[in-house]
Amino acid sequence: MNFKLVDFTLKSLKRNMTKKLSVIFIFTVLVFLLVSVFSISSSIKKELLISVDSLPELIVQKMSGGRQTLIPVERAFEIASIPGVNNAYDRVWGYYFFENVNVNFTILGLDFDLETYKKKYDNIIEMNSDIIDTSNTPFMIAGKGVVEIFNSYYNPNYFDFIKGNGKRMRTNIAGSFSDESALETNDVILMPIQNVRELFDIEEHLATDIVVRVPNPEEIDVVKQKIQFMYPDCRLVSRQDIEASYQNVFDYKSGLFLSLLIAAFVAFFILIYDKTSGLSLEDKREIGILKAVGWQVENILQIKFIEGAIISLFSFSFGTGLALFYVYTLQAPLLRNLFTGASYLKPEFDLLPIVDLQVLSLIFILTVPIYIMATIIPSWRAAIIDADEVMH
Amino acid sequence: MIKLESIYKNYNIGEHNESEVLKNISFLVKENDFTILRGPSGSGKSTILSIIGGLIKPTKGEVFVDGKSIAKLPDKFASLVRQEKIGFIFQKFNLIHELNTIDNITIPLLPGKLSRLEIEKRAEEILDDLSILNKKNVLVKKLSGGEQQRVAIARALINRPKIILADEPTANLDKKLSLSFIQIIKELKQKGITILLASHDPLFSELKCVDNFIDIQHGEIK
């Protein structure tokens, strides 16, 4: 490495700083947008995949006339006896519409002593200290989003649900989920199972669906076939189905960014086109001078390479740093709303810091070498013609 | 030192506007000679200098610089010849205006192996010889015409060339500065440098130190 040429290039950049600033600005904005979008996307994807990981391997739903209906609880015992099934239990849940905010919350009935759930939720529930007695009155544990809406539009300590028979059911808000599980629990209300049955008017021998736990992933398909054979009126939803469904929604939202990114790329390629289509007279004159005083074409290409590398690496690093700060420190204001949806109930969760090296490498390859080439090619064209012509 | 044999130069070859700017040019410049190429504007003087300097190639003919044929030399080697043997002084100086004096002067040596310190030391010696050492950190665009020309001369001398090619060096100078330039050229000749200068300035015709005059008209030697 000839540091005298590096020094010369730095001086050249310094004297052309105003010309280069627009390039650095566009380059930085492009990298910022790309890294921001991909970082938000990676974080949310990770969060969703964590959520999916906690889902049961199979969910059994009874179908009637093409729509889901209540399923007999006894089927859970029969399913549990299938080899390979570790556990099968019924779930009682439903959607409840809150008129004031025009939103549905998911109300899930839970046997709070049930080992699986206890293990999962014990460490992520913050209890409401105002509610002490939960033995006689119905109670609920709500997601952060639900609690916020109760605090803003209803009573922060209880809510009067209207049951299936038209009567009120006062339910204390006993606690809320912690921030860590925000994405998956934000619009969820947990209640003891008997309260949910009462609310949705579900009889004791019926349930909304049946959850099936199959520890060995190799056996899931076989178990699924067996259940389908036993109960042809049932639909079986696997974790993979839910994951695909999440992915579809997510990909759809990612698609919204395409227009933004395409616009950024168009700006970048206009810049590249402008650079490759020719040098200014001043640039050509300078190349002519360098050749006339004895520089070889390769020396000129070296300084142009250094120039392109300095501008593109600086813009790439600055844009990346800015994007990571914007996403993980500022939590991506504006952009994250596009990803998480414009629902009234916006999940409040922290974007997990994930640096996807593959994505960063891809952005690097799509921008830095292209820019360097765009800097070198026109200079090479000018340098290979006679210096005499260049100088005229 | 410099030998041209039947040099022809045509532009836009094969096109409707093809033009022959040099016809059968042959001459010899001996070592340490001071030679003036004389002739009106557009007669082909600058083209001859460009061919000798390897900036352009002749359409036909041979050029020898310090015994080496350069007419068909690939660009890379032509650059090396320029770097090692030739110093150019241009009519419009061709300096990089946003750089200071010393940065302009040191440009020819940057791709080479000399250290930054050695280069700067050499540059300061030349600036001192040309009495512009005090301007070494001044941007060249802030220098007067005469000072800019001294910077251009210093840049031509930094690689300690055997040959100086000067193209209309006094065209942008008044008489006083032109005389000052002639004095510098005389000193260079005394140091053993071969000088080939293209000019139609009558000042040079009166010089006693000139060894040869070559008159060019319409691309031919008269």
Side-chain angles (χ1 to χ4, degrees):
Chain A
M1 172 72 83
N2 183 336
F3 289 101
K4 289 171 287 177
L5 293 183
V6 177
D7 184 49
F8 180 80
T9 311
L10 286 172
K11 281 175 181 161
S12 167
L13 281 173
K14 196 176 157 193
R15 64 194 153 91
N16 293 313
M17 190 45 88
T18 43
K19 268 201 282 181
K20 305 294 179 194
L21 272 179
S22 59
V23 176
I24 292 171
F25 177 75
I26 293 174
F27 204 134
T28 305
V29 167
L30 173 79
V31 173
F32 170 79
L33 280 175
L34 287 171
V35 176
S36 296
V37 167
F38 284 117
S39 300
I40 295 171
S41 146
S42 299
S43 286
I44 294 179
K45 217 172 194 171
K46 173 96 177 170
E47 178 96 22
L48 286 176
L49 289 178
I50 290 170
S51 307
V52 169
D53 275 349
S54 65
L55 290 173
E57 287 75 28
L58 287 170
I59 295 169
V60 186
Q61 298 170 338
K62 187 171 183 292
M63 305 300 287
S64 173
R67 67 185 180 91
Q68 192 189 341
T69 184
L70 298 172
I71 188 167
V73 173
E74 66 196 29
R75 291 189 182 185
F77 301 110
E78 288 156 22
I79 291 169
S81 66
I82 296 172
V85 174
N86 176 264
N87 194 5
Y89 49 86
D90 57 291
R91 289 195 308 190
V92 178
W93 62 276
Y95 297 115
Y96 191 92
F97 184 67
F98 285 71
E99 271 188 54
N100 285 12
V101 284
N102 200 26
V103 70
N104 276 310
F105 291 153
T106 306
I107 299 179
L108 187 61
L110 197 67
D111 182 345
F112 277 86
D113 294 326
L114 199 63
E115 193 58 31
T116 318
Y117 278 98
K118 192 170 181 294
K119 198 174 170 186
K120 182 166 167 49
Y121 290 118
D122 254 7
N123 56 346
I124 56 165
I125 293 171
E126 292 162 9
M127 297 308 290
N128 181 352
S129 54
D130 292 345
I131 309 296
I132 298 159
D133 179 24
T134 57
S135 54
N136 297 320
T137 321
F139 67 93
M140 63 174 136
I141 291 167
K144 281 281 179 196
V146 181
V147 170
E148 274 174 27
I149 283 171
F150 280 147
N151 288 342
S152 306
Y153 297 94
Y154 304 98
N155 190 305
N157 288 326
Y158 64 85
F159 183 75
D160 286 333
F161 287 99
I162 308 294
K163 296 191 285 187
N165 60 13
K167 292 182 178 170
R168 286 172 187 273
M169 184 177 90
R170 176 155 297 190
T171 307
N172 286 328
I173 303 165
S176 64
F177 292 107
S178 63
D179 289 339
E180 289 158 34
S181 60
L183 197 61
E184 61 178 321
T185 62
N186 201 51
D187 65 347
V188 168
I189 294 172
L190 283 190
M191 277 191 205
I193 199 161
Q194 65 274 19
N195 296 145
V196 182
R197 286 187 182 284
E198 194 183 340
L199 176 62
F200 291 125
D201 204 12
I202 300 173
E203 293 174 34
E204 283 291 324
H205 68 283
L206 294 173
T208 312
D209 54 24
I210 291 170
V211 162
V212 182
R213 289 285 182 182
V214 183
N216 183 355
E218 304 288 323
E219 291 178 337
I220 293 173
D221 280 343
V222 180
V223 170
K224 193 175 172 182
Q225 282 170 15
K226 283 184 181 169
I227 297 171
Q228 193 71 77
F229 184 72
M230 285 165 68
Y231 303 112
D233 61 345
C234 283
R235 179 174 70 176
L236 282 109
V237 182
S238 69
R239 186 191 285 171
Q240 282 72 24
D241 296 331
I242 296 172
E243 192 175 329
S245 149
Y246 274 9
Q247 194 67 50
N248 284 342
V249 173
F250 183 74
D251 287 346
Y252 163 73
K253 288 190 172 177
S254 302
L256 294 173
F257 281 97
L258 269 177
S259 51
L260 189 66
L261 294 182
I262 286 170
F265 263 112
V266 166
F268 182 66
F269 284 107
I270 287 173
L271 181 84
I272 295 295
Y273 175 77
D274 184 53
K275 277 192 79 69
T276 48
S277 57
L279 295 174
S280 67
L281 281 177
E282 194 55 32
D283 291 333
K284 284 182 181 171
R285 178 180 165 271
E286 189 169 318
I287 288 173
I289 293 172
L290 296 177
K291 277 197 80 182
V293 300
W295 282 38
Q296 295 174 20
V297 174
E298 63 187 65
N299 300 136
I300 291 163
L301 296 188
Q302 273 175 341
I303 61 163
K304 291 298 169 185
F305 174 83
I306 296 166
E307 180 190 308
I310 289 172
I311 289 179
S312 56
L313 288 175
F314 171 79
S315 305
F316 180 82
S317 312
F318 188 53
T320 303
L322 212 59
L324 294 178
F325 176 77
Y326 168 75
V327 174
Y328 297 123
T329 307
L330 302 180
Q331 290 292 306
L334 298 177
L335 276 188
R336 72 182 270 167
N337 291 348
L338 289 175
F339 262 112
T340 53
S343 156
Y344 203 96
L345 192 66
K346 287 173 187 158
E348 290 298 327
F349 60 95
D350 281 343
L351 291 166
L352 300 170
I354 297 165
V355 179
D356 189 334
L357 288 179
Q358 265 184 323
V359 169
L360 278 186
S361 308
L362 184 71
I363 297 170
F364 183 88
I365 289 165
L366 281 176
T367 53
V368 173
I370 290 177
Y371 181 80
I372 292 175
M373 290 306 288
T375 311
I376 289 177
I377 290 169
S379 305
W380 171 74
R381 280 199 205 122
I384 56 168
I385 61 172
D386 291 332
D388 187 61
E389 281 184 41
V390 168
M391 292 175 70
H392 286 129
Chain B
M1 181 57 88
I2 300 169
K3 189 176 172 191
L4 273 71
E5 289 180 352
S6 302
I7 290 295
Y8 288 80
K9 179 65 185 174
N10 291 19
Y11 284 111
N12 307 318
I13 296 169
E15 292 173 25
H16 69 280
N17 56 344
E18 180 173 344
S19 61
E20 191 176 41
V21 292
L22 293 179
K23 287 172 237 172
N24 197 24
I25 300 287
S26 301
F27 62 80
L28 176 71
V29 177
K30 289 182 194 158
E31 191 169 349
N32 199 26
D33 265 8
F34 179 12
T35 304
I36 305 280
L37 283 173
R38 289 189 300 198
S41 295
S43 58
K45 304 186 298 294
S46 300
T47 307
I48 291 172
L49 292 186
S50 291
I51 287 173
I52 295 168
L55 294 178
I56 55 172
K57 298 197 184 333
T59 309
K60 210 162 71 175
E62 268 297 349
V63 184
F64 296 91
V65 173
D66 202 17
K68 190 180 266 183
S69 168
I70 63 153
K72 293 181 179 66
L73 217 50
D75 190 71
K76 180 174 178 161
F77 298 101
S79 295
L80 278 177
V81 171
R82 273 199 300 281
Q83 204 175 55
E84 288 167 10
K85 301 182 191 299
I86 296 171
F88 259 110
I89 301 168
F90 302 95
Q91 178 181 344
K92 290 176 184 167
F93 315 138
N94 279 331
L95 300 169
I96 298 176
H97 294 111
E98 294 80 10
L99 289 179
N100 64 24
T101 299
I102 196 147
D103 286 336
N104 264 285
I105 292 170
T106 54
I107 286 173
L109 296 180
L110 295 182
K113 288 186 177 149
L114 283 180
S115 72
R116 184 88 218 176
L117 271 178
E118 287 171 296
I119 294 171
E120 283 189 6
K121 193 178 163 209
R122 200 188 274 194
E124 283 173 4
E125 282 168 13
I126 296 168
L127 287 174
D128 197 23
D129 285 349
L130 295 169
S131 311
I132 47 167
L133 184 57
N134 59 334
K135 304 284 182 184
K136 76 170 189 178
N137 292 318
V138 178
L139 290 179
V140 291
K141 65 182 172 191
K142 292 186 176 169
L143 298 177
S144 68
E147 287 167 336
Q148 285 192 16
Q149 196 192 47
R150 282 166 191 247
V151 175
I153 295 168
R155 187 182 61 189
L157 295 174
I158 190 94
N159 56 344
R160 295 178 177 158
K162 289 181 175 178
I163 300 164
I164 288 285
L165 302 176
D167 187 11
E168 300 283 5
T170 56
N172 292 324
L173 303 179
D174 58 24
K175 190 171 179 184
K176 189 180 161 198
L177 288 173
S178 297
L179 289 171
S180 164
F181 171 78
I182 288 167
Q183 188 54 41
I184 293 169
I185 290 292
K186 280 180 184 171
E187 285 165 19
L188 292 178
K189 180 174 161 53
Q190 278 167 8
K191 287 177 180 169
I193 295 175
T194 306
I195 298 156
L196 181 58
L197 191 148
S199 176
H200 60 272
D201 189 336
L203 267 179
F204 290 105
S205 304
E206 301 156 9
L207 289 178
K208 287 180 183 164
C209 59
V210 176
D211 299 296
N212 290 305
F213 289 101
I214 300 169
D215 291 308
I216 311 283
Q217 214 162 12
H218 305 302
E220 289 177 287
I221 295 177
K222 290 292 163 191

